[in-house]
């Protein structure tokens, strides 16, 4: 037992859980916490962000990259409320995060004091654990419990800390029990369930294997099941590289607006989907007559997005292993052959788009250069919008590379903070952020943070002077308003904040800039780098809805669609099936 301040006890609890950094901005209501962090600065790094929202987003990304809980704090009043976007990102993407919220001294509470507010209701929806401490002695216990609940429920824990309690000296004894991330257990999958699955696979003509994050680190099993039953593999966007590498021969892409043409068409022609380890919300847009086998280790997720024909509560890895142990297999399924041809056509089309600058620099050209220069274990922080769509389609996410994205909450401004989190977790790896100009401008101040902490992150801005993801939705509704963005010289702005900067508007300039960036990095650079790619806005191909199938659309409708998106070299899957 030792006598220390409650603020120092907080730091010691965090360190005992193998937490080595946290994000925030000082304030009078977190002075006790800041003093505690100062006392433990050798073991727990304080990262001074320039906006609390960025700190919470970075903490959420920490958990996505490493599986370990992320930590952010905010002072009372606006400091705490600024955390909300990052907290909701963690909640909706189901990762553990601890938020420490400052509060005015207890003597001032309930007296309409400066920045004093009722905080518990603010976090009641976002948090799985939401407590305000009532005495100094309980603070270490509450922090311990908050961490455990965040891990248990894969969510956000909030602890509200009146500053006078945090500054108080207490008797502290470190807890001795083992501290580890709990593993989720699932029931044993029965032979009957496997037999029923095999019967459905045997009866299907066009079956598809769809994998989500529940199949993380099981790519070898996914590949073997695909080969055993001749199944094209589709994934959620977040699962690329973790559940399946995108260079696997039977992989045809992800489904949805961030996805690919072959994935969309395969799911719309399929008669059976093995929906493994996913609760992907856009599954509700799959054909209604599609038979579905859903396997999930969260019982409440089964049947949540669509009606299933066989719902299996269990672990994806166990299910795939037991399918492999069966005697049945099938080779040379025509549907798989056609889907692979469709995927090859898609890849060729993307490459052709990347080389065509008749109307200006295409986003695909930038992603092609990133893919060329990215190391095999590079880590990417992705913003949301068209930039994420281009990245998911074109980055070489073959298993060793990884990325973080605000998926379900889809908050803009995520690219820079998530790249900072990647650098802190993987300081020896090549780190990138990829943002649109809309998302970049929301957290561009964090270039200063990157410069302050010597983070040689390569920040890419795909600047098309538009909220492009929203502009596409407006185009579909025959209007456009409020989505155009005033252009700015992001390179000069970043240079003023401490970055090495480039601005390009042609493929030649782009290639030259990347050569120079490679040279700079090879010399041990410690400054952030920013490349402002001035793009020509082009409405990107939306792969959540395609007008290409002659069995559904008229010749006139298809011709108009091909003209709009220049997809003349990509026949529909139905046409490919007829030719083989």
């Amino acid at each position: 037992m030792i006598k220390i301040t409650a603020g120092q006890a907080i730091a010691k609890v965090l360190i005992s859980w193998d937490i080595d950094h946290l994000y925030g901005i000082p304030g009078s209501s977190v002075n006790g916490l800041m003093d505690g962090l100062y006392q433990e600065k050798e073991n727990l790094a304080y990262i001074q962000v320039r906006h609390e929202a960025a700190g919470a987003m970075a903490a959420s990304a920490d958990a996505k990259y490493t599986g370990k809980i992320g930590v952010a704090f905010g002072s009372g009043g606006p400091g705490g409320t600024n955390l909300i976007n990052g907290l909701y990102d963690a909640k909706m993407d189901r990762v553990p995060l601890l938020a420490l919220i400052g509060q005015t001294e207890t003597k001032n509470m309930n007296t309409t004091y400066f920045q004093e507010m009722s905080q518990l209701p603010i976090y009641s929806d976002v948090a799985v654990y939401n407590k305000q401490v009532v005495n100094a002695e309980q603070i270490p216990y509450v922090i311990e419990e908050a961490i455990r609940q965040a891990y248990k429920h894969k969510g956000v824990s909030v602890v509200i800390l009146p500053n006078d309690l945090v500054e108080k000296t207490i008797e502290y004894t470190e807890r001795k029990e083992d501290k580890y991330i709990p593993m989720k257990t699932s029931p044993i999958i029965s032979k009957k369930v496997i037999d029923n699955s095999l019967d459905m696979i045997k009866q299907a003509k066009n079956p598809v294997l769809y994998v989500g994050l529940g199949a993380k680190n099981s790519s070898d099993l996914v590949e073997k099941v695909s080969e055993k039953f001749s199944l094209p593999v589709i994934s959620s966007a977040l699962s690329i590289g973790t559940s399946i590498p995108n260079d696997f021969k039977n992989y045809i892409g992800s489904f949805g607006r961030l996805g690919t043409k072959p994935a969309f068409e395969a799911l719309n022609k399929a008669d059976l989907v093995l929906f493994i380890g996913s609760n992907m919300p856009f599954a509700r847009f799959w054909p209604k007559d599609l038979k579905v086998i859903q396997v999930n280790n969260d019982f409440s997720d089964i049947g949540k997005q669509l009606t299933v024909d066989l719902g299996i509560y269990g672990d994806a890895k166990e299910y795939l292993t037991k399918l492999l142990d069966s005697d049945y297999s099938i080779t040379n399924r025509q549907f798989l052959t056609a889907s692979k041809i469709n995927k090859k056509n898609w890849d060729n089309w993307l490459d052709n788009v990347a080389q065509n600058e008749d109307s200006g620099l295409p986003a695909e050209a930038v992603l092609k250069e990133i893919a060329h220069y990215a190391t095999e274990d590079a880590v990417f922080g992705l913003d949301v919008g068209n930039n994420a769509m281009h990245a998911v389609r074109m980055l070489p996410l073959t298993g060793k590379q990884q990325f973080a994205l605000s998926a379900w909450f889809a908050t803009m401004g995520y690219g820079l903070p998530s790249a900072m989190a990647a650098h802190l977790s993987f300081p020896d790896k090549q780190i990138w952020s990829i943002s649109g100009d809309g998302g970049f401008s929301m957290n561009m101040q964090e270039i200063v943070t990157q410069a302050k902490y010597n983070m040689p992150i390569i920040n890419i801005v795909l600047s098309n002077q538009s909220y492009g993801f929203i502009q596409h939705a407006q185009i579909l509704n025959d209007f456009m308003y409020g989505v155009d963005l005033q252009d700015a010289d992001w390179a000069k702005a970043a240079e003023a904040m401490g970055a090495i900067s480039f601005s390009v508007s042609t493929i030649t300039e782009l290639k030259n800039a990347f050569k120079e960036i490679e040279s700079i990095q090879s010399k041990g650079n410690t400054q952030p780098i920013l490349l402002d790619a001035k793009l020509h806005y082009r409405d990107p191909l939306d792969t959540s809805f395609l007008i290409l199938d002659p069995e559904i659309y008229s010749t006139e409708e298809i011709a108009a669609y091909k003209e709009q998106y220049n997809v003349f070299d990509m026949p529909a899957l139905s046409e490919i099936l007829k030719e083989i």
Side-chain angles (χ1 to χ4, degrees), residues 181-394:
I181 302 173
M183 301 299 294
K184 190 175 183 67
T185 58
S186 302
I188 301 298
I189 297 175
S190 68
K191 182 179 182 300
K192 180 180 179 181
V193 164
I194 298 300
D195 289 342
N196 290 341
S197 299
L198 290 170
D199 287 341
M200 295 176 71
I201 293 172
K202 291 175 184 177
Q203 295 169 19
K205 182 179 180 182
N206 299 337
V208 165
L209 175 58
Y210 183 102
V211 293
L213 284 177
K216 187 175 182 178
N217 300 324
S218 302
S219 60
D220 57 334
L221 295 173
V222 173
E223 292 179 10
K224 290 175 182 177
V225 167
S226 168
E227 292 170 340
K228 181 180 178 71
F229 301 109
S230 294
L231 304 172
V233 181
I234 300 171
S235 74
S236 65
L238 293 179
S239 305
I240 304 172
T242 60
S243 300
I244 186 69
N246 65 2
D247 61 351
F248 173 54
K249 62 182 181 180
N250 293 347
Y251 180 67
I252 60 173
S254 61
F255 175 84
R257 192 154 164 202
L258 302 188
T260 68
K261 170 185 178 287
F264 170 84
E265 292 184 318
L267 272 164
N268 278 276
K269 290 294 182 184
D271 52 9
L272 172 67
V273 174
L274 280 69
F275 191 35
I276 312 297
S278 178
N279 185 41
M280 198 268 294
F282 303 112
R284 63 187 65 183
F285 298 111
W286 293 353
K288 300 305 178 185
D289 59 348
L290 185 63
K291 291 188 180 298
V292 178
I293 300 172
Q294 185 176 7
V295 181
N296 204 295
N297 64 3
D298 187 331
F299 183 78
S300 66
D301 280 348
I302 297 175
K304 184 177 286 184
Q305 302 299 343
L306 74 173
T307 301
V308 302
D309 298 272
L310 179 59
I312 302 169
Y313 174 38
D315 180 70
K317 183 173 290 189
E318 181 189 355
Y319 178 77
L320 294 169
T321 299
K322 289 188 173 181
L323 282 182
L324 285 174
D325 290 340
S326 68
D327 294 332
Y328 175 73
S329 65
I330 182 171
T331 58
N332 301 321
R333 201 187 290 269
Q334 187 183 45
F335 188 62
L336 172 60
T337 302
S339 294
K340 290 168 69 174
I341 294 171
N342 204 14
K343 177 60 162 54
K344 185 176 181 180
N345 291 342
W346 167 260
D347 290 338
N348 290 338
W349 177 76
L350 284 176
D351 189 61
N352 289 334
V353 171
Q355 298 178 57
N356 184 356
E357 59 176 338
D358 290 346
S359 300
L361 181 64
E364 289 84 355
V366 184
L367 267 297
K368 186 176 180 180
E369 289 302 304
I370 295 172
H372 176 73
Y373 282 98
T375 57
E376 67 173 3
D377 62 350
V379 186
F380 301 90
L382 304 183
D383 220 306
V384 299
N386 285 349
N387 64 283
M389 176 189 68
H390 296 306
V392 166
R393 289 175 178 176
M394 297 191 69

Side-chain angles (χ1 to χ4, degrees), residues 42 141 167 195 256 274 281 343 373 422 440-441 459 503 568:
E42 298 302 322
Y141 170 85
E167 290 179 331
D195 289 342
L274 280 69
K343 177 60 162 54
Y373 282 98
F440 175 74
S441 60
N459 302 278
S503 182
F568 295 100

Side-chain angles (χ1 to χ4, degrees), residues 528-567:
I529 292 173
L530 183 128
L531 185 142
D532 180 7
K534 299 298 187 184
L535 308 179
H536 167 72
Y537 178 82
R538 176 179 57 82
D539 190 32
L541 183 63
D542 179 354
T543 51
S544 64
F545 181 74
L546 299 170
I547 303 175
L548 291 172
D549 191 343
E551 296 179 355
I552 301 174
Y553 302 103
S554 69
T555 301
E556 292 76 18
E557 288 174 316
I558 293 173
Y561 187 80
K562 286 185 174 182
E563 179 71 30
Q564 181 178 3
Y565 291 108
N566 190 24
V567 290

